[in-house]
Amino acid sequence: MPISKKVLKTRRLAWEIIVRAMERDRRLSDVTAEKLSQTNFSDREKRFTIELIQGTVRMKGRLDYELKKVYNSDWEELLFKVKVLLWMGAYQLKFMHSVPPYAAVSTSVTLARRVHINTAGLVNAILRVYGNSITDEFEDKDDIDKWSEWLSHPSWLVRKWLLFWSKPEIHSLCEWNNKKPTIWFRLNTLVMNAKDRDKWLKKNEFEFGTWEHDDRFFFVDKTSHLLNSELFNEGNFSIQDPAGGLVVKLLDPQKDETIVDACAAPGGKSSFIAQIMENSGKILAFDSNMNRLRKFAKGMSRLKVDNVDAQMMDMTTAEIAKADKVLLDVPCTGTGVMSKRADLRWRRTIKSLYEMVQIQRDLLVNISQYVNKGGVIVYSTCSLEHEENWQVVNHFLQTNSDWQVESAEKFVPKEFVDGQGALYTFPPQNGIDGGFAVRLIRK
């Protein structure tokens, strides 16, 4: 059956985006947004393309593991651009049940002719064999490197996790990261209340659920429809996982306070702080990147937040006025949010982990100088790594005796508090993003 141009164009664009992002080490989401904005794709075509891109990159480790079993030559010698075609074809065959097998194979073969004329037969043969051998059985149970491939996570990261967690815990985390993520929204109570939100969602035939600990956080069955709705554009809702909300609750903002958000962009936590403060007081927001600050300002405007003063500063060295409360949501490896950033696991290395740790230490040391006695820093990450969390905090406390930890139990539900008093969320256990935050008090 011939493949239409309409069907082919989504696969072609998905292939181009994956190749460009991975060859140039660019964020997959940035390249996707950039390229999709240049198309006239329908919403359905956009959703299909995004699912194919995200799913293929997310699962490329397992696809590699399986494809190597049906490829008779040296997999490492195969052209990268052809590998991407095979990942995409295999992903459609195994995970995209709405795609007929013939379409998954035929589109891959047609694209292969455009990549390199001599690869079409190879792609056809491999995918046909692969399609007939799909299984969920994992055979190499004692080989950590192959287990990592099967889990579609880099071996260095799985090996590091084995120092802290059991194999069942790691398996559950990897499977969490490999699922299509739940996108959470936060109701903006500056402009809408929960009763009106629920009424509007029901009227517009959304199925939705709220978070048991805070009904301002909710999810819907038709995410793209909500994102494209008039109410979203008018600032009634924003995207934010409940894990981010817990960090703000740990900060415990009060009306009329002046609060510093030291690494503020993209602005989810700043806007929630403003919401809790009912636009009173002042939020002094800082970030080191002007492009991120522009997006930050646009977000604040959409959400009707008007108590924020944003400036570009490098907070590892900046001097600021003393404050009573500081949110220090540091740059990190993001291992707690890998389910939502499909490419992140492949872009991180052990080197990047330790580079992050140094930045985190520098930020905490510098910011601590500008907090009044009795004041608070909430140090937070969206990382699950001990090196970025308690190791950074303990190193700081050992060299700064005028600071101590205040238990998170006073501010968030006990189920999210670890044995040392920090906020800690583990995705498979808590059903939300992973992260860490500790409340530090200056004596």
Side-chain angles (χ1 to χ4, degrees), residues 58-59 62 144 146-159 161-162 165-180 335 338-340 342 345-346 384 426-429:
R58 184 181 289 119
M59 296 306 299
R62 184 173 298 184
I144 296 302
K146 290 182 178 179
W147 187 55
S148 301
E149 262 195 314
W150 173 257
L151 294 173
S152 204
H153 281 66
S155 177
W156 75 266
L157 186 57
V158 171
R159 287 180 176 278
W161 285 346
L162 281 166
W165 301 324
S166 68
K167 288 185 78 171
E169 285 174 320
I170 295 168
H171 187 274
S172 68
L173 176 59
C174 291
E175 288 301 314
W176 172 274
N177 289 342
N178 290 341
K179 291 189 303 183
K180 187 176 180 180
T335 55
M338 282 184 168
S339 67
K340 288 177 178 162
R345 68 190 77 177
W346 309 120
L384 301 174
F426 188 68
Q429 178 181 324

CSV table of all heavy atoms in Angstrom, one decimal, residues 58-59 62 144 146-159 161-162 165-180 335 338-340 342 345-346 384 426-429:
chain,number,residue,atom,x,y,z
A,58,ARG,N,13.3,8.6,24.3
A,58,ARG,CA,13.2,8.0,25.6
A,58,ARG,C,13.6,6.5,25.7
A,58,ARG,O,14.3,6.1,26.6
A,58,ARG,CB,11.8,8.2,26.1
A,58,ARG,CG,11.5,7.7,27.5
A,58,ARG,CD,10.1,7.9,27.9
A,58,ARG,NE,9.7,9.3,28.1
A,58,ARG,CZ,8.8,9.9,27.3
A,58,ARG,NH1,8.1,9.3,26.4
A,58,ARG,NH2,8.5,11.2,27.5
A,59,MET,N,13.2,5.8,24.6
A,59,MET,CA,13.4,4.3,24.6
A,59,MET,C,14.5,3.9,23.8
A,59,MET,O,14.6,2.7,23.5
A,59,MET,CB,12.1,3.7,24.2
A,59,MET,CG,10.9,3.9,25.1
A,59,MET,SD,11.2,3.5,26.8
A,59,MET,CE,11.6,1.7,26.7
A,62,ARG,N,16.6,0.7,25.0
A,62,ARG,CA,16.0,-0.6,24.8
A,62,ARG,C,15.9,-1.0,23.3
A,62,ARG,O,16.1,-2.1,23.0
A,62,ARG,CB,14.6,-0.6,25.4
A,62,ARG,CG,13.9,-2.0,25.4
A,62,ARG,CD,12.6,-2.1,26.1
A,62,ARG,NE,12.8,-1.9,27.5
A,62,ARG,CZ,11.8,-2.0,28.4
A,62,ARG,NH1,10.6,-2.3,28.0
A,62,ARG,NH2,12.0,-1.7,29.7
A,144,ILE,N,25.0,-5.9,34.0
A,144,ILE,CA,24.5,-4.5,34.4
A,144,ILE,C,24.4,-3.6,33.2
A,144,ILE,O,23.4,-2.8,33.1
A,144,ILE,CB,25.4,-3.9,35.5
A,144,ILE,CG1,25.3,-4.7,36.8
A,144,ILE,CG2,24.9,-2.4,35.8
A,144,ILE,CD1,23.9,-4.9,37.4
A,146,LYS,N,23.9,-4.4,30.0
A,146,LYS,CA,22.8,-4.8,29.2
A,146,LYS,C,21.4,-4.5,29.9
A,146,LYS,O,20.5,-4.1,29.3
A,146,LYS,CB,22.9,-6.3,28.8
A,146,LYS,CG,24.0,-6.5,27.8
A,146,LYS,CD,24.1,-7.9,27.3
A,146,LYS,CE,25.2,-8.1,26.3
A,146,LYS,NZ,25.3,-9.5,25.9
A,147,TRP,N,21.4,-4.7,31.2
A,147,TRP,CA,20.2,-4.3,32.0
A,147,TRP,C,19.9,-2.8,31.9
A,147,TRP,O,18.8,-2.4,31.7
A,147,TRP,CB,20.4,-4.7,33.5
A,147,TRP,CG,19.2,-4.5,34.4
A,147,TRP,CD1,18.0,-5.1,34.1
A,147,TRP,CD2,19.2,-3.8,35.6
A,147,TRP,NE1,17.2,-4.7,35.2
A,147,TRP,CE2,17.8,-4.0,36.1
A,147,TRP,CE3,20.1,-3.1,36.3
A,147,TRP,CZ2,17.4,-3.4,37.3
A,147,TRP,CZ3,19.7,-2.5,37.5
A,147,TRP,CH2,18.4,-2.6,38.0
A,148,SER,N,21.0,-2.0,31.9
A,148,SER,CA,20.8,-0.6,31.7
A,148,SER,C,20.3,-0.2,30.4
A,148,SER,O,19.4,0.6,30.2
A,148,SER,CB,22.2,0.1,31.9
A,148,SER,OG,22.8,-0.1,33.2
A,149,GLU,N,20.8,-0.9,29.3
A,149,GLU,CA,20.2,-0.7,28.0
A,149,GLU,C,18.8,-1.1,28.0
A,149,GLU,O,17.9,-0.4,27.4
A,149,GLU,CB,21.0,-1.6,27.0
A,149,GLU,CG,22.1,-0.9,26.2
A,149,GLU,CD,22.6,-1.7,25.0
A,149,GLU,OE1,22.8,-2.9,25.2
A,149,GLU,OE2,22.7,-1.1,23.9
A,150,TRP,N,18.4,-2.2,28.5
A,150,TRP,CA,17.0,-2.7,28.6
A,150,TRP,C,16.1,-1.6,29.3
A,150,TRP,O,15.0,-1.4,28.8
A,150,TRP,CB,16.9,-4.0,29.2
A,150,TRP,CG,15.5,-4.5,29.5
A,150,TRP,CD1,14.8,-4.4,30.6
A,150,TRP,CD2,14.6,-5.0,28.5
A,150,TRP,NE1,13.5,-4.9,30.4
A,150,TRP,CE2,13.4,-5.3,29.1
A,150,TRP,CE3,14.7,-5.3,27.1
A,150,TRP,CZ2,12.3,-5.8,28.5
A,150,TRP,CZ3,13.7,-5.9,26.5
A,150,TRP,CH2,12.5,-6.1,27.1
A,151,LEU,N,16.7,-1.1,30.3
A,151,LEU,CA,15.9,0.0,31.1
A,151,LEU,C,16.0,1.3,30.4
A,151,LEU,O,15.3,2.3,30.8
A,151,LEU,CB,16.5,0.1,32.5
A,151,LEU,CG,16.3,-1.1,33.4
A,151,LEU,CD1,17.1,-0.9,34.7
A,151,LEU,CD2,14.9,-1.4,33.7
A,152,SER,N,16.7,1.4,29.3
A,152,SER,CA,16.9,2.6,28.5
A,152,SER,C,17.4,3.8,29.3
A,152,SER,O,16.9,4.9,29.3
A,152,SER,CB,15.6,3.0,27.8
A,152,SER,OG,15.8,3.8,26.7
A,153,HIS,N,18.5,3.5,30.1
A,153,HIS,CA,19.2,4.5,30.9
A,153,HIS,C,20.7,4.3,30.7
A,153,HIS,O,21.1,3.1,30.5
A,153,HIS,CB,18.8,4.4,32.4
A,153,HIS,CG,17.5,5.1,32.7
A,153,HIS,ND1,16.3,4.6,32.2
A,153,HIS,CD2,17.1,6.2,33.4
A,153,HIS,CE1,15.3,5.3,32.7
A,153,HIS,NE2,15.8,6.3,33.4
A,154,PRO,N,21.5,5.3,30.8
A,154,PRO,CA,22.9,5.2,30.7
A,154,PRO,C,23.5,4.3,31.8
A,154,PRO,O,23.1,4.4,32.9
A,154,PRO,CB,23.5,6.6,30.7
A,154,PRO,CG,22.4,7.4,31.3
A,154,PRO,CD,21.1,6.8,31.0
A,155,SER,N,24.5,3.5,31.4
A,155,SER,CA,25.0,2.5,32.3
A,155,SER,C,25.7,3.2,33.5
A,155,SER,O,25.6,2.8,34.7
A,155,SER,CB,26.1,1.7,31.6
A,155,SER,OG,26.7,0.8,32.5
A,156,TRP,N,26.4,4.4,33.3
A,156,TRP,CA,27.1,5.0,34.4
A,156,TRP,C,26.1,5.5,35.5
A,156,TRP,O,26.4,5.4,36.7
A,156,TRP,CB,27.9,6.3,33.9
A,156,TRP,CG,27.0,7.5,33.6
A,156,TRP,CD1,26.5,7.8,32.3
A,156,TRP,CD2,26.6,8.5,34.5
A,156,TRP,NE1,25.8,9.0,32.4
A,156,TRP,CE2,25.8,9.4,33.7
A,156,TRP,CE3,26.7,8.7,35.8
A,156,TRP,CZ2,25.2,10.5,34.3
A,156,TRP,CZ3,26.1,9.8,36.4
A,156,TRP,CH2,25.4,10.7,35.6
A,157,LEU,N,24.9,5.9,35.1
A,157,LEU,CA,23.9,6.3,36.0
A,157,LEU,C,23.3,5.2,36.8
A,157,LEU,O,23.1,5.2,38.0
A,157,LEU,CB,22.8,7.1,35.3
A,157,LEU,CG,21.7,7.8,36.1
A,157,LEU,CD1,22.4,8.8,37.1
A,157,LEU,CD2,20.7,8.5,35.3
A,158,VAL,N,23.0,4.1,36.1
A,158,VAL,CA,22.4,2.9,36.8
A,158,VAL,C,23.4,2.4,37.8
A,158,VAL,O,23.1,2.0,38.9
A,158,VAL,CB,22.0,1.8,35.7
A,158,VAL,CG1,21.6,0.5,36.4
A,158,VAL,CG2,20.8,2.3,34.9
A,159,ARG,N,24.7,2.3,37.4
A,159,ARG,CA,25.7,1.8,38.3
A,159,ARG,C,25.9,2.7,39.5
A,159,ARG,O,26.1,2.2,40.6
A,159,ARG,CB,27.1,1.7,37.5
A,159,ARG,CG,27.1,0.5,36.6
A,159,ARG,CD,28.5,0.5,35.8
A,159,ARG,NE,28.5,-0.7,35.0
A,159,ARG,CZ,28.8,-1.9,35.4
A,159,ARG,NH1,29.1,-2.2,36.7
A,159,ARG,NH2,28.8,-2.9,34.5
A,161,TRP,N,23.4,4.5,40.8
A,161,TRP,CA,22.2,4.3,41.6
A,161,TRP,C,22.3,3.1,42.4
A,161,TRP,O,21.7,3.0,43.5
A,161,TRP,CB,21.0,4.3,40.7
A,161,TRP,CG,20.5,5.6,40.2
A,161,TRP,CD1,21.0,6.9,40.6
A,161,TRP,CD2,19.6,5.9,39.1
A,161,TRP,NE1,20.3,7.9,39.9
A,161,TRP,CE2,19.5,7.3,39.0
A,161,TRP,CE3,18.9,5.1,38.3
A,161,TRP,CZ2,18.7,7.9,38.1
A,161,TRP,CZ3,18.1,5.7,37.3
A,161,TRP,CH2,18.0,7.1,37.2
A,162,LEU,N,23.0,2.1,41.9
A,162,LEU,CA,23.2,0.8,42.6
A,162,LEU,C,23.9,1.0,43.9
A,162,LEU,O,23.8,0.1,44.8
A,162,LEU,CB,23.9,-0.2,41.8
A,162,LEU,CG,23.0,-0.9,40.7
A,162,LEU,CD1,23.8,-1.7,39.7
A,162,LEU,CD2,22.0,-1.9,41.4
A,165,TRP,N,20.5,2.4,46.0
A,165,TRP,CA,19.2,1.8,45.9
A,165,TRP,C,19.3,0.3,45.5
A,165,TRP,O,20.3,-0.1,44.9
A,165,TRP,CB,18.3,2.5,44.9
A,165,TRP,CG,18.1,4.0,45.2
A,165,TRP,CD1,17.9,4.5,46.4
A,165,TRP,CD2,18.0,5.0,44.2
A,165,TRP,NE1,17.7,5.9,46.3
A,165,TRP,CE2,17.8,6.2,45.0
A,165,TRP,CE3,18.0,5.1,42.9
A,165,TRP,CZ2,17.6,7.4,44.4
A,165,TRP,CZ3,17.9,6.3,42.2
A,165,TRP,CH2,17.7,7.5,43.0
A,166,SER,N,18.2,-0.4,45.8
A,166,SER,CA,18.1,-1.8,45.3
A,166,SER,C,17.8,-1.9,43.9
A,166,SER,O,17.3,-0.9,43.3
A,166,SER,CB,17.1,-2.5,46.2
A,166,SER,OG,15.8,-2.0,45.8
A,167,LYS,N,18.0,-3.0,43.3
A,167,LYS,CA,17.6,-3.2,41.9
A,167,LYS,C,16.1,-3.0,41.6
A,167,LYS,O,15.7,-2.4,40.6
A,167,LYS,CB,18.1,-4.6,41.4
A,167,LYS,CG,19.6,-4.7,41.2
A,167,LYS,CD,20.0,-6.0,40.6
A,167,LYS,CE,19.8,-6.0,39.1
A,167,LYS,NZ,20.4,-7.2,38.4
A,168,PRO,N,15.2,-3.5,42.5
A,168,PRO,CA,13.8,-3.2,42.3
A,168,PRO,C,13.5,-1.8,42.3
A,168,PRO,O,12.6,-1.3,41.6
A,168,PRO,CB,13.1,-4.0,43.5
A,168,PRO,CG,14.1,-5.1,43.8
A,168,PRO,CD,15.4,-4.5,43.6
A,169,GLU,N,14.1,-1.0,43.2
A,169,GLU,CA,13.9,0.5,43.2
A,169,GLU,C,14.3,1.1,42.0
A,169,GLU,O,13.6,2.0,41.4
A,169,GLU,CB,14.6,1.1,44.4
A,169,GLU,CG,14.0,0.8,45.8
A,169,GLU,CD,14.8,1.3,47.0
A,169,GLU,OE1,16.1,1.1,46.9
A,169,GLU,OE2,14.2,1.8,47.9
A,170,ILE,N,15.5,0.7,41.5
A,170,ILE,CA,16.0,1.3,40.2
A,170,ILE,C,15.1,0.9,39.1
A,170,ILE,O,14.8,1.7,38.2
A,170,ILE,CB,17.5,0.8,40.0
A,170,ILE,CG1,18.4,1.4,41.0
A,170,ILE,CG2,17.9,1.2,38.6
A,170,ILE,CD1,19.8,0.8,41.0
A,171,HIS,N,14.7,-0.3,39.0
A,171,HIS,CA,13.8,-0.8,38.0
A,171,HIS,C,12.5,0.0,38.0
A,171,HIS,O,12.0,0.5,36.9
A,171,HIS,CB,13.5,-2.3,38.2
A,171,HIS,CG,12.7,-2.9,37.0
A,171,HIS,ND1,11.3,-2.8,37.0
A,171,HIS,CD2,13.1,-3.5,35.9
A,171,HIS,CE1,10.9,-3.4,35.9
A,171,HIS,NE2,11.9,-3.8,35.2
A,172,SER,N,11.9,0.3,39.1
A,172,SER,CA,10.7,1.1,39.2
A,172,SER,C,10.9,2.5,38.8
A,172,SER,O,10.0,3.1,38.1
A,172,SER,CB,10.1,1.0,40.6
A,172,SER,OG,10.9,1.7,41.6
A,173,LEU,N,12.1,3.1,39.1
A,173,LEU,CA,12.4,4.5,38.7
A,173,LEU,C,12.5,4.5,37.2
A,173,LEU,O,12.0,5.4,36.6
A,173,LEU,CB,13.6,5.0,39.4
A,173,LEU,CG,14.1,6.3,39.0
A,173,LEU,CD1,13.0,7.4,39.2
A,173,LEU,CD2,15.4,6.7,39.7
A,174,CYS,N,13.3,3.6,36.6
A,174,CYS,CA,13.5,3.6,35.2
A,174,CYS,C,12.1,3.4,34.4
A,174,CYS,O,11.9,4.1,33.4
A,174,CYS,CB,14.5,2.5,34.8
A,174,CYS,SG,16.2,2.9,35.3
A,175,GLU,N,11.3,2.5,34.9
A,175,GLU,CA,10.0,2.3,34.3
A,175,GLU,C,9.2,3.5,34.4
A,175,GLU,O,8.4,3.9,33.5
A,175,GLU,CB,9.3,1.1,34.9
A,175,GLU,CG,10.0,-0.3,34.5
A,175,GLU,CD,10.0,-0.5,33.0
A,175,GLU,OE1,8.9,-0.3,32.4
A,175,GLU,OE2,11.0,-0.9,32.5
A,176,TRP,N,9.2,4.2,35.5
A,176,TRP,CA,8.5,5.5,35.7
A,176,TRP,C,9.0,6.5,34.6
A,176,TRP,O,8.2,7.2,33.9
A,176,TRP,CB,8.8,6.1,37.1
A,176,TRP,CG,8.3,7.5,37.2
A,176,TRP,CD1,8.9,8.7,36.9
A,176,TRP,CD2,7.0,7.9,37.7
A,176,TRP,NE1,8.1,9.7,37.2
A,176,TRP,CE2,6.9,9.3,37.7
A,176,TRP,CE3,5.8,7.2,38.2
A,176,TRP,CZ2,5.8,10.0,38.1
A,176,TRP,CZ3,4.7,7.9,38.6
A,176,TRP,CH2,4.7,9.3,38.5
A,177,ASN,N,10.3,6.6,34.4
A,177,ASN,CA,10.9,7.5,33.5
A,177,ASN,C,10.5,7.2,32.0
A,177,ASN,O,10.6,8.0,31.1
A,177,ASN,CB,12.4,7.6,33.6
A,177,ASN,CG,12.9,8.3,34.9
A,177,ASN,OD1,12.1,9.0,35.5
A,177,ASN,ND2,14.1,8.0,35.3
A,178,ASN,N,10.2,5.9,31.8
A,178,ASN,CA,10.0,5.4,30.4
A,178,ASN,C,8.5,5.5,30.1
A,178,ASN,O,8.1,5.3,28.9
A,178,ASN,CB,10.4,4.0,30.3
A,178,ASN,CG,11.9,3.8,30.3
A,178,ASN,OD1,12.7,4.8,30.1
A,178,ASN,ND2,12.4,2.6,30.6
A,179,LYS,N,7.6,5.9,31.0
A,179,LYS,CA,6.2,6.1,30.7
A,179,LYS,C,6.0,7.5,30.2
A,179,LYS,O,6.7,8.4,30.5
A,179,LYS,CB,5.4,5.9,32.0
A,179,LYS,CG,5.3,4.4,32.5
A,179,LYS,CD,4.3,4.3,33.6
A,179,LYS,CE,4.6,5.3,34.8
A,179,LYS,NZ,3.6,5.1,35.9
A,180,LYS,N,4.9,7.6,29.4
A,180,LYS,CA,4.5,8.9,29.0
A,180,LYS,C,4.1,9.7,30.3
A,180,LYS,O,3.2,9.2,31.1
A,180,LYS,CB,3.3,8.8,28.1
A,180,LYS,CG,2.9,10.1,27.5
A,180,LYS,CD,1.7,10.0,26.4
A,180,LYS,CE,1.3,11.3,25.8
A,180,LYS,NZ,0.2,11.1,24.8
A,335,THR,N,17.7,14.6,37.5
A,335,THR,CA,17.4,13.1,37.5
A,335,THR,C,16.0,12.8,38.1
A,335,THR,O,15.5,11.7,37.9
A,335,THR,CB,18.5,12.3,38.2
A,335,THR,OG1,18.7,12.7,39.5
A,335,THR,CG2,19.8,12.3,37.4
A,338,MET,N,13.4,13.2,34.7
A,338,MET,CA,13.8,12.6,33.5
A,338,MET,C,12.6,12.0,32.7
A,338,MET,O,12.6,11.8,31.5
A,338,MET,CB,14.8,11.5,33.7
A,338,MET,CG,16.2,12.0,33.9
A,338,MET,SD,17.4,10.7,34.1
A,338,MET,CE,18.9,11.7,34.0
A,339,SER,N,11.5,11.8,33.4
A,339,SER,CA,10.3,11.3,32.7
A,339,SER,C,9.7,12.4,31.7
A,339,SER,O,9.1,12.0,30.7
A,339,SER,CB,9.2,10.9,33.7
A,339,SER,OG,8.7,12.0,34.3
A,340,LYS,N,10.0,13.6,32.1
A,340,LYS,CA,9.4,14.7,31.3
A,340,LYS,C,10.4,15.3,30.3
A,340,LYS,O,10.0,16.1,29.4
A,340,LYS,CB,8.9,15.8,32.2
A,340,LYS,CG,7.6,15.4,32.9
A,340,LYS,CD,7.1,16.4,33.9
A,340,LYS,CE,5.8,15.9,34.5
A,340,LYS,NZ,5.5,16.6,35.8
A,342,ALA,N,12.8,13.7,27.8
A,342,ALA,CA,13.2,12.4,27.2
A,342,ALA,C,14.7,12.3,26.9
A,342,ALA,O,15.3,11.2,27.0
A,342,ALA,CB,12.4,12.1,26.0
A,345,ARG,N,18.5,12.1,30.1
A,345,ARG,CA,19.3,11.0,30.6
A,345,ARG,C,20.6,10.7,29.7
A,345,ARG,O,21.6,10.3,30.1
A,345,ARG,CB,18.5,9.7,30.7
A,345,ARG,CG,18.0,9.2,29.3
A,345,ARG,CD,17.0,8.1,29.4
A,345,ARG,NE,15.7,8.6,29.8
A,345,ARG,CZ,14.6,7.8,29.9
A,345,ARG,NH1,14.7,6.5,29.7
A,345,ARG,NH2,13.4,8.3,30.2
A,346,TRP,N,20.4,11.0,28.4
A,346,TRP,CA,21.5,10.8,27.4
A,346,TRP,C,22.5,12.0,27.4
A,346,TRP,O,23.6,11.8,26.8
A,346,TRP,CB,20.9,10.5,26.0
A,346,TRP,CG,19.8,9.5,26.0
A,346,TRP,CD1,18.5,9.7,25.6
A,346,TRP,CD2,20.0,8.1,26.4
A,346,TRP,NE1,17.9,8.5,25.7
A,346,TRP,CE2,18.7,7.5,26.2
A,346,TRP,CE3,21.0,7.3,26.9
A,346,TRP,CZ2,18.4,6.2,26.5
A,346,TRP,CZ3,20.8,6.0,27.2
A,346,TRP,CH2,19.5,5.4,27.0
A,384,LEU,N,17.7,13.5,42.1
A,384,LEU,CA,17.6,12.5,43.1
A,384,LEU,C,19.0,12.1,43.7
A,384,LEU,O,19.1,11.2,44.5
A,384,LEU,CB,17.0,11.2,42.5
A,384,LEU,CG,15.6,11.4,41.9
A,384,LEU,CD1,15.2,10.1,41.2
A,384,LEU,CD2,14.6,11.7,43.0
A,426,PHE,N,10.3,10.7,45.6
A,426,PHE,CA,10.8,9.6,44.8
A,426,PHE,C,9.6,9.3,43.8
A,426,PHE,O,8.6,8.8,44.3
A,426,PHE,CB,11.2,8.4,45.6
A,426,PHE,CG,11.9,7.4,44.8
A,426,PHE,CD1,13.2,7.6,44.3
A,426,PHE,CD2,11.4,6.1,44.7
A,426,PHE,CE1,13.9,6.6,43.5
A,426,PHE,CE2,12.0,5.1,43.9
A,426,PHE,CZ,13.3,5.4,43.4
A,427,PRO,N,9.7,9.5,42.5
A,427,PRO,CA,8.6,9.4,41.6
A,427,PRO,C,7.8,8.1,41.7
A,427,PRO,O,6.5,8.2,41.9
A,427,PRO,CB,9.2,9.6,40.3
A,427,PRO,CG,10.4,10.5,40.5
A,427,PRO,CD,10.9,10.0,41.8
A,428,PRO,N,8.4,6.9,41.7
A,428,PRO,CA,7.5,5.7,41.7
A,428,PRO,C,6.7,5.6,43.0
A,428,PRO,O,5.6,5.0,43.0
A,428,PRO,CB,8.5,4.6,41.5
A,428,PRO,CG,9.7,5.2,41.0
A,428,PRO,CD,9.8,6.6,41.5
A,429,GLN,N,7.3,6.1,44.1
A,429,GLN,CA,6.6,6.0,45.4
A,429,GLN,C,5.6,7.1,45.6
A,429,GLN,O,4.5,6.8,46.1
A,429,GLN,CB,7.7,6.1,46.5
A,429,GLN,CG,7.1,6.0,47.9
A,429,GLN,CD,8.3,6.2,48.9
A,429,GLN,OE1,9.4,5.6,48.7
A,429,GLN,NE2,8.0,6.8,50.0
